[in-house]
Amino acid sequence: MTVACGRGVIQLLWNLTQMKVIDLRRLLSATLLAITVAGCTTLPADHGWGLARAELAGRSPSLAGRSANPGADADAVFIAVENLLAQPLTLPAALSVALLQNPRVQIAYEKLGLASADWLAASRLSNPVLSGALLDSDEPGTRRLKTLGLAQNFTDILFLRANTRIADADMQVARLEAAAAIQSLATEVAAAWYAAVAAEQVLKLRQLIAAAADASMHLAERFHAAGNISLLELAREQAAAHQVQTELAAARAEATAAMSALNALLGLPGPAGLELAAALPLPVSTVTDVEDLIDLGLTRRFDVAIQQKHIESLQRTVALAQSLRWLPFIEVGVERERETDGARLRGPTMAIELPLFGRNKAPMLRAESALAMAQAELQLLQGDISNVIAAAHAQMSAAAEQVAVYRSALVPARATIVKQMQLHQNYMLVGQFELLKAKRDELEAYEGYLHAIRDYWTSRVALSVATGGELPGDDAQPSPAVTAPEIATPPASEHKGHH
């Protein structure tokens, strides 16, 4: 549509130069018409936000279906967020809350608005220039000299199509950047949610371990008071219990920090008292070859697409700079003059730049260097993507193996040891402290299991970032992880000789 507007201006100025009779009213009407015709470029009402979400749908379909409308009614957003927070917060609910009210969504939208303004300015013609003069003569009885002119930058008209194509490429980059900002926010929310849930589970587990250590310490104090254990054995149990208390304090601080980080990404002010889902899900069973993931990342990552569009824009800029090097500034127009004796003069005008001090070589050299640098940066980015995906895939696979070992072997083995030691303790073959130590070992094994699950999901999020979108198997319904084992404090016994 912009090109059609430019053709209209060209035709208008051509007609004006062919006119033999022209008056002030017609000249003013022609000026207004030229401004109106040249300004007929239109913009989407949402600055292209819908197109940005369409770009996101091809990479993260689950995100594109969620509400992320910066222009939504504030009351409706508040009600929607309250409904989402009224129940234990799952990962999909956390993503919805963040997209509804995190200020970064609004920032991405406004950046798209700024890019739209730049696109509008670049794809329009420069405004025509209306000039006039009113000069008095020093001869008595003569009339004033009146001139009136209308001129248009003809070079802008010739290269309107090229400028519009460059502006379109830059606008597509802005849409990709807006979609990338939403995707980045979503991946950060996912990583923070996994970290917060894991930290809360570890905190609960540390509370169980602290209870076991405290029970062991109090039992040792009773045994020592009865003369059944030495002061050395008592001091060991007390030191172990106090060490566990410090670890409990660290776990509490970590849980608070993880929750605060999640609150910030959700756009919640301060501690919001969120209730998180009870447990982390188990790893998904889908296995994807690393080479396929590398191919996926090279074809769909936003930064690759943005760099490719940037190169496309620079290629057009180079072509335009090469053309402008040999084409000087040209301005065409019409002018009307009334002489002091009442005679009227009218006709076309033209102004042309004389390339005496340069032929616009600097813009061409700058554009060519920028293009070569952008192409090299794309090659560097593509090489980094392959290595990042390979490393993230290796971390995720290792974490999945650790989860399998903990779940199928280590945690059950620790639970079996506790059960067998309970039987041995009933027959006074082992002491109370040995049983409590075995229970602490079981809980610590489960803590390692939780850490392995957390590491799996955080590395999976990192792999999702590296590949530029959702991974195969993300749409599957994961199974919840096993719940923390119950602590069973053995009954206090004061059998002499059985510690």
Side-chain angles (χ1 to χ4, degrees):
M1 186 174 182
T2 305
V3 175
C5 296
R7 291 172 180 170
V9 175
I10 295 174
Q11 186 64 41
L12 171 66
L13 292 175
W14 174 257
N15 292 339
L16 289 176
T17 59
Q18 300 301 310
M19 294 174 64
K20 297 181 178 180
V21 179
I22 186 168
D23 55 19
L24 178 61
R25 183 179 61 184
R26 184 175 299 178
L27 184 60
L28 291 176
S29 299
T31 303
L32 294 175
L33 179 60
I35 295 174
T36 302
V37 171
C40 60
T41 306
T42 59
L43 277 173
D46 62 351
H47 304 311
W49 184 255
L51 296 175
R53 293 186 63 179
E55 295 284 354
L56 186 62
R59 298 163 172 86
S60 302
S62 62
L63 286 181
R66 301 186 185 281
S67 177
N69 185 8
D73 180 69
D75 293 336
V77 170
F78 177 80
I79 293 174
V81 171
E82 287 295 313
N83 291 336
L84 290 169
L85 299 180
Q87 50 192 345
L89 190 67
T90 62
L91 178 56
L95 293 173
S96 296
V97 171
L99 294 179
L100 281 169
Q101 67 173 19
N102 190 301
R104 286 166 58 177
V105 177
Q106 185 69 36
I107 292 173
Y109 177 77
E110 298 304 336
K111 284 184 178 180
L112 194 57
L114 294 175
S116 299
D118 293 338
W119 172 81
L120 182 62
S123 59
R124 280 189 173 186
L125 292 172
S126 59
N127 291 322
V129 178
L130 179 65
S131 61
L134 185 62
L135 305 176
D136 289 326
S137 175
D138 57 357
E139 296 183 8
T142 58
R143 299 180 180 180
R144 291 180 174 178
L145 176 63
K146 301 176 182 178
T147 63
L148 192 64
L150 176 67
Q152 172 67 39
N153 186 338
F154 191 72
T155 307
D156 283 353
I157 297 175
L158 291 178
F159 291 97
L160 180 62
R161 180 188 294 271
N163 286 328
T164 302
R165 287 178 176 176
I166 294 173
D168 288 341
D170 292 341
M171 191 62 205
Q172 291 175 17
V173 169
R175 291 169 186 156
L176 291 172
E177 290 175 344
I182 300 302
Q183 187 185 70
S184 176
L185 173 62
T187 54
E188 290 180 34
V189 169
W193 184 86
Y194 288 126
V197 173
E200 187 174 90
Q201 286 189 272
V202 169
L203 175 59
K204 293 178 180 178
L205 196 61
R206 276 289 157 189
Q207 291 171 342
L208 296 177
I209 296 174
D214 189 67
S216 182
M217 182 183 67
H218 288 303
L219 184 61
E221 290 173 350
R222 292 200 303 271
F223 276 27
H224 180 264
N228 292 330
I229 63 173
S230 66
L231 180 60
L232 175 60
E233 293 174 299
L234 173 61
R236 286 174 177 171
E237 293 297 326
Q238 290 174 333
H242 295 322
Q243 178 65 34
V244 169
Q245 288 296 326
T246 63
E247 295 169 352
L248 174 61
R252 188 179 294 110
E254 183 178 352
T256 301
M259 184 64 71
S260 297
L262 180 60
N263 283 343
L265 290 171
L266 298 182
L268 301 176
L274 293 178
E275 182 183 358
L276 298 176
L280 288 175
L282 291 172
V284 298
S285 58
T286 304
V287 178
T288 306
D289 185 74
V290 65
E291 295 297 333
D292 295 336
L293 293 176
I294 291 175
D295 293 339
L296 193 62
L298 293 175
T299 56
R300 72 174 183 179
R301 275 183 54 145
F302 276 118
D303 51 359
V304 173
I306 289 171
Q307 191 67 12
Q308 289 171 340
K309 287 294 180 183
H310 183 51
I311 290 174
E312 178 183 336
S313 176
L314 287 174
Q315 288 172 338
R316 290 172 176 170
T317 301
V318 168
L320 180 60
Q322 290 173 344
S323 300
L324 288 175
R325 180 185 178 187
W326 305 108
L327 184 65
F329 170 84
I330 301 175
E331 183 180 79
V332 297
V334 293
E335 187 170 346
R336 173 187 181 277
E337 180 177 323
R338 177 181 291 179
E339 299 292 336
T340 57
D341 59 359
R344 295 182 179 181
L345 303 176
R346 61 188 65 84
T349 64
M350 175 179 288
I352 185 169
E353 176 189 11
L354 298 178
L356 299 179
F357 305 107
R359 296 183 177 179
N360 296 324
K361 187 176 181 180
M364 184 189 68
L365 294 177
R366 185 179 296 107
E368 289 175 345
S369 296
L371 174 59
M373 185 171 63
Q375 291 171 335
E377 289 173 346
L378 177 60
Q379 294 178 355
L380 181 63
L381 176 61
Q382 290 172 335
D384 290 341
I385 287 173
S386 300
N387 293 318
V388 170
I389 290 177
H393 183 269
Q395 291 177 354
M396 186 187 72
S397 300
E401 292 177 5
Q402 291 177 352
V403 170
V405 172
Y406 273 108
R407 186 166 185 257
S408 63
L410 187 54
V411 171
R414 289 295 185 186
T416 301
I417 290 173
V418 171
K419 291 179 181 179
Q420 293 299 315
M421 291 195 72
Q422 179 72 61
L423 296 175
H424 285 66
Q425 196 273 338
N426 291 338
Y427 291 101
M428 294 182 291
L429 299 176
V430 296
Q432 295 274 7
F433 301 121
E434 288 85 350
L435 178 58
L436 289 172
K437 176 63 170 58
K439 189 62 182 180
R440 289 202 302 270
D441 291 342
E442 179 192 10
L443 296 175
E444 288 174 353
Y446 187 81
E447 182 180 358
Y449 172 53
L450 292 178
H451 286 157
I453 296 178
R454 178 201 61 190
D455 293 343
Y456 169 83
W457 286 109
T458 54
S459 61
R460 189 175 179 86
V461 171
L463 183 59
S464 174
V465 173
T467 58
E470 295 178 1
L471 298 173
D474 280 355
D475 54 350
Q477 185 67 28
S479 303
V482 296
T483 58
E486 297 289 339
I487 181 170
T489 303
S493 172
E494 296 190 7
H495 294 290
K496 295 183 181 293
H498 298 286
H499 309 327

